[in-house]
Amino acid sequence: MRWKDSDKVGSLGWLSWMIVNKHIDTLISTSADAGWAGVSNTGKVCDMLQSGIVPEFGGGGESNAKMIKAIEQLTTKESGFGYLFDSLSPMQRLCLFASVLAEGRKDERGMSPLNTSIAASIRRYAAELRMQPPLKRLSPVNYSVHLSRGKAAFIERLVAEMEMRADD
C-alpha cells in the first residue's frame, strides 16, 4: 500500500504511519507476549483469561495473584491511539491494519504483497491482529474500497485531533 510521505519526518504522512504502526505493534505484541501454552501455570492462566474463566491455583503467598495481574496487563495493553480508529467500520479497520502489517512483509525481491493476496489471506491477518474476521470472502476490489475509505477516515480524524490540540 502506498502511504504518501511516510518517510518524510514531521509530515502528516509520517505521523499517521507511525501511529498506525504503533497501534498494530500493540495489537500483535499482546498476542506474542501472552502466547504461552502448555501445562505450566502460566499457560493455564493465559488459557483461562482468554476464555473468561477466573484462574485458581493451589499454592501459598501472593505469587499466583501477582502472576495473574501481570498476565492481565498483557492482555489489556493499549497503544493509546485506539480512539483515532473509532470512526472506522470494523472492516475498514481490519483492511487498514492488514495492509500496514503486510507492508512490512516484503518478499525476496523487496515487494510487498499485492491487494489480491492480502484479501485472500485476510482471515490470517485478522487472527494475528486479534480482530473479527469477515463473515464472507473478501474480494480484492472490496478490500481496496474498505482500505481507501478507512485510510481517508483515519487521516481525517487525525487532522481533526491535531487541530483540536492546536487550539488548546
Side-chain angles (χ1 to χ4, degrees):
M1 174 185 75
R2 186 169 180 268
W3 200 284
K4 188 176 179 185
D5 295 332
S6 63
D7 295 330
K8 189 176 177 183
V9 177
S11 68
L12 179 62
W14 174 81
L15 180 62
S16 59
W17 180 253
M18 297 300 290
I19 289 172
V20 171
N21 274 294
K22 178 157 176 49
H23 190 71
I24 290 173
D25 285 346
T26 303
L27 290 176
I28 62 174
S29 69
T30 55
S31 60
D33 291 344
W36 301 294
V39 295
S40 68
N41 279 353
T42 307
K44 289 178 186 176
V45 170
C46 289
D47 293 341
M48 289 177 170
L49 288 173
Q50 199 168 32
S51 64
I53 300 170
V54 177
E56 288 185 30
F57 294 98
E62 288 292 310
S63 62
N64 291 331
K66 288 179 185 174
M67 180 172 56
I68 291 168
K69 286 177 188 172
I71 293 173
E72 283 177 335
Q73 288 173 347
L74 284 175
T75 60
T76 59
K77 191 172 166 184
E78 173 60 45
S79 71
F81 298 115
Y83 69 97
L84 294 172
F85 303 100
D86 287 345
S87 63
L88 279 65
S89 72
M91 186 57 79
Q92 290 172 344
R93 193 175 305 135
L94 175 60
C95 291
L96 178 66
F97 293 167
S99 68
V100 173
L101 193 59
E103 183 71 26
R105 299 183 176 167
K106 299 184 187 293
D107 62 11
E108 60 276 353
R109 296 174 298 161
M111 303 294 291
S112 298
L114 299 173
N115 285 354
T116 308
S117 63
I118 298 171
S121 304
I122 199 72
R123 289 185 176 280
R124 183 173 51 88
Y125 285 110
E128 192 171 344
L129 292 163
R130 301 175 74 178
M131 298 177 78
Q132 183 71 33
L135 297 176
K136 59 183 183 175
R137 190 177 162 273
L138 188 63
S139 73
V141 172
N142 286 342
Y143 167 79
S144 296
V145 168
H146 287 296
L147 174 60
S148 64
R149 288 182 182 165
K151 182 180 173 187
F154 166 66
I155 297 287
E156 183 179 310
R157 174 65 194 263
L158 180 60
V159 168
E161 183 72 20
M162 288 171 49
E163 288 173 351
M164 184 182 76
R165 289 178 186 246
D167 292 341
D168 289 345

